[in-house]
Amino acid sequence: MGKVIYVTGAPATGKSTLCRTLSADPAIHSFCYSERLRDHVNRQAGIALDEADIRRQSAQVVTSKHVDEVDDLLQAEAESCRKSGGNLLIDSHPVTKENYGFRVTPFKLQRLLDLKIDYFICLYADPKVMAQRIELDAQGRPLPSDFELAVHVNLQASVVATYSVLSGRPCHLVDSSVDRMQLVQRVRALAGLI
């Protein structure tokens, strides 16, 4: 039976790059939550927000109804992957940086339990490494201070550790400042994908 693996981390910790690399394996499918949410909001509202727009305006344009509807899509894909023997990576970041501070949009408890996530992976890196990555390739992301980056990492780690405790499933906090292929191999081993 396939596995469901939840991958999270603050901006510029490399979670999306990791998920794209892992999903080159045909047995691994990636559900990029932010892309699915952006596409869903655009369809529902008849607008054309890009990734940078969503990052700047998430608290203004993303409603709890949008999140519930994308959670339904995720649940369906998780069940489909399990039945087919494939593996699903959930690339998600429930903590977003807003103009007033931070916002946490967690799964509802029953949704978390229904997803039956096998492993939780949280990437982290030194705030200076994250700042360098954002400066090199912002992708619409503002450059927070080192303090804000550290707070973001801690909040992401707190949310995923809480998910792990509530689910009774293991959580691994992984330093992503290493070489990319070393990180890929490490995560494959921790998530039982070898």
Side-chain angles (χ1 to χ4, degrees), residues 5 14 48 53 83 106 121 123 147 165:
I5 299 129
D53 294 329
K83 285 180 185 167
I121 304 286
L123 303 183
F147 174 76
V165 170

Side-chain angles (χ1 to χ4, degrees), residues 118-146:
D118 296 282
Y119 297 96
F120 293 91
I121 304 286
C122 182
L123 303 183
Y124 70 91
D126 185 294
K128 294 192 183 321
V129 171
M130 295 162 62
Q132 286 174 339
R133 291 174 177 169
I134 293 172
E135 285 175 331
L136 287 172
D137 186 11
Q139 300 179 23
R141 296 175 291 209
L143 180 58
S145 68
D146 284 0

Side-chain angles (χ1 to χ4, degrees), residues 36-83:
R36 296 295 186 96
L37 184 60
R38 179 198 62 210
D39 293 347
H40 187 72
V41 169
N42 283 341
R43 274 195 305 276
Q44 294 293 314
I47 53 181
L49 298 174
D50 63 19
E51 194 70 25
D53 294 329
I54 287 285
R55 283 188 167 127
R56 281 193 305 270
Q57 306 171 39
S58 67
Q60 290 81 42
V61 299
V62 177
T63 66
S64 59
K65 182 175 182 290
H66 293 136
V67 172
D68 285 343
E69 290 165 349
V70 175
D71 284 352
D72 288 341
L73 298 173
L74 173 60
Q75 180 78 44
E77 287 200 30
E79 289 171 8
S80 175
C81 271
R82 281 190 187 283
K83 285 180 185 167

Side-chain angles (χ1 to χ4, degrees), residues 29-33 36 70 73-74 77 88-92:
H29 176 68
S30 179
F31 186 104
C32 180
Y33 201 97
R36 296 295 186 96
V70 175
L73 298 173
L74 173 60
E77 287 200 30
L88 180 67
L89 296 174
I90 304 172
D91 170 0
S92 179

Side-chain angles (χ1 to χ4, degrees), residues 88-171:
L88 180 67
L89 296 174
I90 304 172
D91 170 0
S92 179
H93 52 98
V95 180
T96 51
K97 178 75 180 76
E98 306 291 344
N99 58 10
Y100 55 80
F102 296 91
R103 176 187 188 194
V104 179
T105 311
F107 286 127
K108 292 176 181 167
L109 178 57
Q110 192 58 53
R111 177 75 69 182
L112 176 68
L113 299 176
D114 288 346
L115 282 168
K116 298 177 182 156
I117 294 168
D118 296 282
Y119 297 96
F120 293 91
I121 304 286
C122 182
L123 303 183
Y124 70 91
D126 185 294
K128 294 192 183 321
V129 171
M130 295 162 62
Q132 286 174 339
R133 291 174 177 169
I134 293 172
E135 285 175 331
L136 287 172
D137 186 11
Q139 300 179 23
R141 296 175 291 209
L143 180 58
S145 68
D146 284 0
F147 174 76
E148 290 172 319
L149 287 168
V151 169
H152 206 149
V153 166
N154 290 332
L155 285 170
Q156 291 283 171
S158 295
V159 170
V160 78
T162 302
Y163 283 173
S164 170
V165 170
L166 291 171
S167 303
R169 302 300 304 164
C171 174

